[in-house]
């Protein structure tokens, strides 16, 4: 009787632990994430570098995002504004060459926060953000942040 | 013989319990006597505030710029990011950049101990302090409308007249604010929403940078 009760307790504990770890699995890894949306792929992410940049249209935040080897193993760029109102935002993921060749970008006047598609974290990437008033060009561009 | 054995076993259990209680008392003492918020440490030292220990590990400063390496033992292995400024009397210098170090090492993300490099476009004076104001989990790309509803409920505790909506779209999120409460700026509304959508642990962890 005692043994049966113990077995039931162990099964219940195992089920609880499994449910606790029931995190949505990522749908791509490394190069298979290239060109994919981190949101759609369910990639867990960390900000590895964050830069603040001020311009006429306000303060721009640019982030280099990284999904570690335990998830998607990929990088992407995120740009946002701190002004409350929507701004014209552009997030760029670039090569780590001297001219920061743009590989992925997202450009919109409809969001407060935007992000690019991903590239494999096997390489070093850089992030650049740009911001302006909706419907106009950019008055702010952050320095590149690489990692 | 059997009785002696049982007695010995009992003594061992009692001793083990005493050792355990002693350990717990020591841990409790350390928590209770940790540095209080706002404590200013010596350079290259560590401070514990709200259970999070921060240490300053390296200071490189010129007339035009400063780079500081500091480490934090974070509450979890989530995407915590610090907001650290330089403070000289009443002057606050925002960082131009903060970067997480050792990102290619998987242990950086598996564990809670992380180091950051903060860059400032200003030199430091003997009176300058590094103030890590708070740590915040970065906003996720995977926000749901449920997250936004919960954030609004959180904001309503202090600002019952405040309202906002999340538009979660393709590669982006838009926050639409209703009419703001009297005296609240757009920037304050934005900060309020971001804080409610994430988790923030307040410091400050304050370090004197006098060398």
């Amino acid at each position: 009787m005692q043994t049966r009760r113990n077995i039931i307790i162990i099964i219940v504990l195992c089920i609880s632990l499994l449910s606790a770890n029931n995190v949505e699995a990522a749908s791509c890894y490394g190069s298979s994430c290239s060109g994919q949306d981190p949101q759609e792929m369910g990639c867990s992410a960390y900000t590895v570098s964050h830069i603040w940049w001020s311009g006429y249209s306000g303060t721009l935040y640019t982030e280099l995002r990284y999904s570690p080897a335990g998830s998607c193993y990929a990088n992407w760029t995120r740009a946002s504004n701190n002004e409350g109102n929507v701004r014209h935002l552009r997030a760029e993921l670039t090569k780590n060459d001297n001219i920061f060749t743009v590989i992925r970008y997202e450009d919109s006047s409809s969001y407060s926060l935007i992000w690019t598609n991903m590239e494999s974290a096997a390489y070093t990437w850089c992030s650049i953000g740009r911001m302006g008033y909706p419907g106009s060009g950019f008055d702010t561009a952050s320095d590149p942040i690489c990692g | 013989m059997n009785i002696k054995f049982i007695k010995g076993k009992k003594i061992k259990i009692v001793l083990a319990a005493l050792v355990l209680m002693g350990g717990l008392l020591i841990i409790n003492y350390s928590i209770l006597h940790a540095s209080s918020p706002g404590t200013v440490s010596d350079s290259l030292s560590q401070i514990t505030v709200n259970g999070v220990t921060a240490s300053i590990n390296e200071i490189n400063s010129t007339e035009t710029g400063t780079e500081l390496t500091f480490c934090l033992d974070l509450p979890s292995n989530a995407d915590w990011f610090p907001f650290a400024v330089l403070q000289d009397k009443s002057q606050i210098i925002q960082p131009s950049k903060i970067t997480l170090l050792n990102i290619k090492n998987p242990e950086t993300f598996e564990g809670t101990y992380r180091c950051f490099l903060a860059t400032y476009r200003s030199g430091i004076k003997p009176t300058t302090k590094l103030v890590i104001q708070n740590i915040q989990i970065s906003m996720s790309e995977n926000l749901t409308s449920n997250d936004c509803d919960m954030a609004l409920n959180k904001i309503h505790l202090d600002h019952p007249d405040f309202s906002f909506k999340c538009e979660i779209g393709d590669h982006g999120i838009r926050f639409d604010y209703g009419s703001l409460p009297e005296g609240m700026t757009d920037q304050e509304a934005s900060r309020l929403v971001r804080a409610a959508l994430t988790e923030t642990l307040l410091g400050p962890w304050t370090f004197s940078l006098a060398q």
Side-chain angles (χ1 to χ4, degrees):
Chain A
M1 190 64 184
Q2 180 73 26
T3 313
R4 191 181 294 172
R5 199 190 318 166
N6 287 345
I7 290 169
I8 291 168
I9 290 170
I10 288 166
I11 290 170
V12 169
L13 279 172
C14 288
I15 290 169
S16 315
L17 283 171
L18 283 172
S19 335
N21 289 314
N22 188 21
V23 177
E24 194 181 339
S27 307
C28 66
Y29 186 88
S31 57
S32 73
C33 292
S34 179
Q36 303 286 348
D37 179 358
Q39 185 195 47
E40 276 183 20
M41 294 292 112
C43 300
S44 67
Y46 292 85
T47 292
V48 294
S49 198
H50 197 159
I51 191 164
W52 287 257
W53 213 262
S54 292
Y56 291 114
S57 55
T59 304
L60 162 72
Y61 291 162
T62 304
E63 294 166 87
L64 176 61
R65 301 279 282 164
Y66 173 62
S67 186
S71 183
C72 293
Y73 194 53
N75 287 108
W76 63 95
T77 297
R78 195 160 77 165
S80 58
N81 82 83
N82 192 36
E83 304 308 313
N85 293 316
V86 165
R87 290 285 184 272
H88 182 192
L89 289 168
R90 182 180 166 103
E92 296 176 352
L93 186 68
T94 79
K95 281 187 177 175
N96 186 26
D97 53 17
N98 288 330
I99 52 169
F100 302 103
T101 309
V102 177
I103 300 300
R104 303 278 168 207
Y105 75 90
E106 204 63 38
D107 188 319
S108 172
S109 283
S110 306
Y111 294 126
S112 314
L113 173 96
I114 63 168
W115 58 84
T116 66
N117 282 337
M118 298 182 280
E119 284 298 332
S120 168
Y123 308 97
T124 299
W125 301 102
C126 304
S127 291
I128 296 174
R130 298 178 197 276
M131 189 167 83
Y133 288 106
S136 64
F138 303 105
D139 57 58
T140 310
S142 70
D143 271 355
I145 40 174
C146 305
Chain B
M1 188 67 183
N2 199 19
I3 293 166
K4 275 183 187 170
F5 171 75
I6 291 168
K7 273 186 182 170
K9 198 174 179 182
K10 275 184 180 171
I11 288 166
K12 278 181 190 168
I13 291 168
V14 170
L15 279 173
L18 284 171
V19 168
L20 185 66
M21 282 169 69
L24 287 172
L25 279 172
I26 289 167
I27 292 167
N28 193 29
Y29 180 88
S30 316
I31 291 168
L32 286 173
H33 293 78
S35 305
S36 56
T39 301
V40 177
S41 81
D42 295 331
S43 299
L44 298 167
S45 65
Q46 65 177 38
I47 299 168
T48 302
V49 177
N50 289 332
V52 171
T53 300
S55 62
I56 185 156
N57 296 39
E58 202 173 331
I59 305 167
N60 289 311
S61 186
T62 63
E63 277 183 16
T64 54
T66 302
E67 283 191 341
L68 297 167
T69 303
F70 60 86
C71 302
L72 292 156
D73 198 356
L74 299 162
S76 69
N77 69 345
D79 181 20
W80 290 100
F81 213 81
F83 287 84
V85 299
L86 292 182
Q87 187 177 344
D88 184 36
K89 293 169 187 164
S90 59
Q91 190 191 7
I92 302 283
I93 300 152
Q94 301 288 343
S96 57
K97 183 167 70 173
I98 295 183
T99 300
L100 174 63
L101 301 174
N102 305 317
I103 62 163
K104 296 296 178 187
N105 182 351
E107 285 177 12
T108 300
F109 302 99
E110 287 160 8
T112 57
Y113 184 79
R114 294 187 195 145
C115 295
F116 299 86
L117 176 70
T119 309
Y120 301 86
R121 291 188 202 95
S122 167
I124 54 173
K125 298 173 191 165
T127 48
T128 307
K129 292 168 190 167
L130 169 70
V131 183
I132 305 169
Q133 295 173 321
N134 63 58
I135 55 171
Q136 190 173 66
I137 296 178
S138 301
M139 200 186 301
S140 168
E141 283 83 355
N142 299 310
L143 278 183
T144 63
S145 51
N146 190 40
D147 294 326
C148 297
D149 292 343
M150 283 164 62
L152 186 58
N153 288 339
K154 216 190 279 186
I155 294 171
H156 275 169
L157 295 174
D158 290 327
H159 303 279
D161 299 334
F162 187 84
S163 72
F164 85 98
K165 281 182 187 167
C166 295
E167 296 279 337
I168 299 163
D170 179 29
H171 291 87
I173 299 168
R174 172 188 180 130
F175 303 116
D176 286 325
Y177 305 98
S179 56
L180 299 178
E182 204 178 325
M184 185 182 285
T185 64
D186 288 344
Q187 288 90 345
E188 282 166 349
S190 174
R191 273 197 293 274
L192 204 60
V193 167
R194 282 165 189 271
L197 282 167
T198 60
E199 197 179 329
T200 305
L201 190 66
L202 296 175
W205 295 264
T206 305
F207 295 91
S208 165
L209 300 178
Q211 295 187 74

